[in-house]
Amino acid sequence: MVAAKSTTTERPALAILGGKPAFAEPLHVGRPNVGNYGAFQERVADMWDRRWLTNAGRYVEEFEQRVAALIGVKHCVATCNATAAIEIVVHALGLKGEVILPSFTFVAAANALQWQGVTPTFCDIEADNFNLDPERVASMITPRTTAIFPAHIFGRPADIEALTRLAADRGLTVFFDAAHALGCSYQGEMIGRFGRAEILSFHATKFINSMEGGAVVTNDDDLAHRLRLMKNFGFTSYDRTDEIGINGKMTEVCAAMGLTSFEAMPEIVEINRRNWGAYRDGLKKLPGISLIEYSTAEQHNYHYVIVEVDSQQAPLNRDELLLTLHRENVLARRYFWPGCHRMAPYASLYPNAGSCLPQTERVAGRVLALPTGQTITLEIIETICEIISAAFSYAGRIRSLSLTQAQS
Ligand code: T4K
């Protein structure tokens, strides 16, 4: 429990105002969820004995089958991470020119395009679900546009129907960044089945993790075949390559971790859902702060707890709250501030992009990801909510302090 004030009432107990941090150890947003350690060890021992460590090993194949079955898709091609998966897809689809994507996403998506010599064109998002706005996308299509690359940010589906229709009408490819959306559904169908392909991430910080890892899921037989070649240098047999490839393979130890994490999925969703509900209840009476909601009509992984801070209503703005939480060792994150368009190299390539991205800038300035997952207990959440409540009570003092710090 965090007391809002010390017993003297002179000095609040908040760390930013001179108190002791509520948590001795940092609480990370991305602390990994893990499965059964014994099951992981057994797989590693087996892999060790068989001396098969990578290159289409047994565990990678099993992992691919489990993921494809969950989604209900024909092919899952596992990769070393999602960034490489995006690059391989862009290359395999032969995309050139411009590809439209959100700026409100992890910079890896833009970088993967740029790295492949394709121009990332940043489009604004919808205010309510933080995903690409189909009307804005339509207005940004040029003769150089070859594809639309929406993301399902925080696992909430993009407007798949409108974006798919738009792509079909304009003769464009559509493929999705589903890095956050494993285990989530759209109109009752699992995400991963849409567009030419969808890309998943199994990074340590993700809902299901393989330490590092990614995958492309698709129903396109030819594309899947080419992705398999391309992630393995382009080899079609021992001494022959038919086209250029890279090394994008997932290792056996990563697949062993992925399988173990996969088996814990029901437990992880349950904990995530419980934590999300506890934050919602703990914060509901505070002005100007709200949790983003997940549709109860769909399946969801509840992996991200995202609060929006409305600085017109709340006594502190998002950054003042962030500073307060960090002093307590609650390492909340501003995903995805400041937007890709304000990061190098895009900030200098498109210095005026912000004027075309009003919702991106608004949302990026008010969201905060809070720690959740297996290591976050209800007691921890109660304390975090108390810290936020106390911060609001001492907003005047915190504000003057953070202003002083910003000026120094
Ligand atoms: N598309 C989207 C929409 C994405 O969000 C991402 C990745 C990608 C594509 C590309 O996927 P990958 O190529 O990574 O498969 C983290 C993750 O590294 C990144 O995977 C993720 N999105 C992004 C949203 O978050 P950072 O720069 O915030 O990572 P980092 O190192 O600061 O870690 C986050 C927190 O997690 C830290 O506070 C520490 C904690 N942590 C991290 C690791 C690795 C742990 O407690 N234990 C750990 O093992 O990007």
Side-chain angles (χ1 to χ4, degrees):
M1 296 277 281
V2 169
K5 300 174 188 177
S6 73
T7 45
T8 64
T9 69
E10 285 300 307
R11 196 172 67 110
L14 287 169
I16 195 168
L17 298 176
K20 221 172 115 212
F23 299 99
E25 296 293 326
L27 294 179
H28 293 287
V29 165
R31 178 147 289 172
N33 293 316
V34 292
N36 181 293
Y37 186 50
F40 174 65
Q41 278 179 312
E42 268 180 39
R43 289 185 168 111
V44 172
D46 172 57
M47 174 195 94
W48 192 274
D49 289 343
R50 287 187 293 108
R51 281 176 165 66
W52 196 279
L53 308 182
T54 184
N55 290 15
R58 181 184 293 174
Y59 291 126
V60 168
E61 285 182 359
E62 189 183 340
F63 185 62
E64 290 180 336
Q65 284 158 14
R66 297 287 293 266
V67 173
L70 174 83
I71 293 171
V73 75
K74 275 169 91 177
H75 307 280
C76 170
V77 181
T79 58
C80 53
N81 58 56
T83 308
I86 299 169
E87 289 193 42
I88 297 170
V89 169
V90 168
H91 195 85
L93 291 173
L95 299 178
K96 307 266 181 251
E98 296 169 358
V99 170
I100 299 173
L101 79 165
S103 174
F104 188 72
T105 187
F106 193 55
V107 72
N111 287 350
L113 296 171
Q114 183 86 9
W115 201 267
Q116 285 298 312
V118 171
T119 304
T121 305
F122 299 119
C123 180
D124 211 7
I125 52 172
E126 295 183 308
D128 55 346
N129 78 353
F130 307 168
N131 289 318
L132 274 186
D133 179 338
E135 279 184 27
R136 300 298 292 260
V137 174
S139 73
M140 295 192 74
I141 296 171
T142 73
R144 293 192 70 232
T145 307
T146 54
I148 306 170
F149 183 33
H152 309 297
I153 290 295
F154 306 136
R156 297 195 298 183
D159 189 343
I160 295 173
E161 202 177 333
L163 291 162
T164 307
R165 199 178 331 114
L166 176 64
D169 289 349
R170 306 293 286 268
L172 302 173
T173 297
V174 63
F175 65 114
F176 293 92
D177 182 342
H180 300 176
L182 184 75
C184 303
S185 67
Y186 172 77
Q187 296 181 356
E189 282 195 63
M190 296 311 282
I191 287 180
R193 296 183 191 178
F194 300 99
R196 279 296 289 285
E198 299 211 51
I199 288 117
L200 304 168
S201 171
F202 300 105
H203 181 258
T205 56
K206 290 296 190 299
F207 167 53
I208 296 302
N209 93 84
S210 63
M211 302 185 182
E212 286 279 0
V216 185
V217 279
T218 180
N219 282 316
D220 183 326
D221 298 339
D222 180 54
L223 178 64
H225 174 70
R226 296 190 62 226
L227 295 171
R228 287 198 185 285
L229 299 183
M230 282 185 178
K231 73 163 185 173
N232 186 32
F233 314 102
F235 277 122
T236 47
S237 62
Y238 275 146
D239 312 307
R240 180 179 154 167
T241 61
D242 279 3
E243 56 186 329
I244 188 169
I246 59 165
N247 184 353
K249 290 171 274 136
M250 179 183 272
T251 66
E252 282 290 271
V253 75
C254 286
M257 183 70 180
L259 282 166
T260 309
S261 178
F262 200 95
E263 284 160 1
M265 192 184 296
E267 176 211 327
I268 297 170
V269 178
E270 212 30 62
I271 290 169
N272 287 347
R273 196 202 315 267
R274 177 204 71 183
N275 287 356
W276 181 87
Y279 275 115
R280 184 198 49 200
D281 295 348
L283 297 174
K284 71 178 172 212
K285 295 215 173 87
L286 299 181
I289 187 162
S290 57
L291 251 64
I292 68 164
E293 302 273 336
Y294 298 113
S295 164
T296 48
E298 301 285 357
Q299 293 191 56
H300 212 283
N301 59 32
Y302 289 84
H303 182 64
Y304 289 98
V305 171
I306 306 291
V307 293
E308 279 189 83
V309 184
D310 176 355
S311 57
Q312 304 296 313
Q313 306 287 326
L316 291 175
N317 67 31
R318 189 273 311 271
D319 290 343
E320 291 158 344
L321 187 57
L322 179 81
L323 187 64
T324 307
L325 288 168
H326 276 214
R327 292 293 168 84
E328 302 289 347
N329 255 332
V330 180
L331 301 188
R333 297 291 297 264
R334 293 183 285 193
Y335 291 135
F336 289 102
W337 183 87
C340 299
H341 67 288
R342 290 197 180 273
M343 293 183 171
Y346 315 107
S348 42
L349 292 173
Y350 318 113
N352 302 319
S355 61
C356 304
L357 301 166
Q359 289 305 337
T360 302
E361 300 235 315
R362 190 186 71 88
V363 172
R366 54 194 266 153
V367 287
L368 207 51
L370 296 176
T372 183
Q374 284 172 332
T375 58
I376 303 300
T377 62
L378 291 178
E379 202 185 356
I380 291 174
I381 294 172
E382 194 183 336
T383 304
I384 294 174
C385 293
E386 284 170 4
I387 292 168
I388 296 174
S389 171
F392 280 17
S393 303
Y394 288 92
R397 289 176 66 178
I398 292 172
R399 182 154 276 184
S400 55
L401 205 79
S402 41
L403 277 177
T404 318
Q405 287 183 356
Q407 281 156 6
S408 61

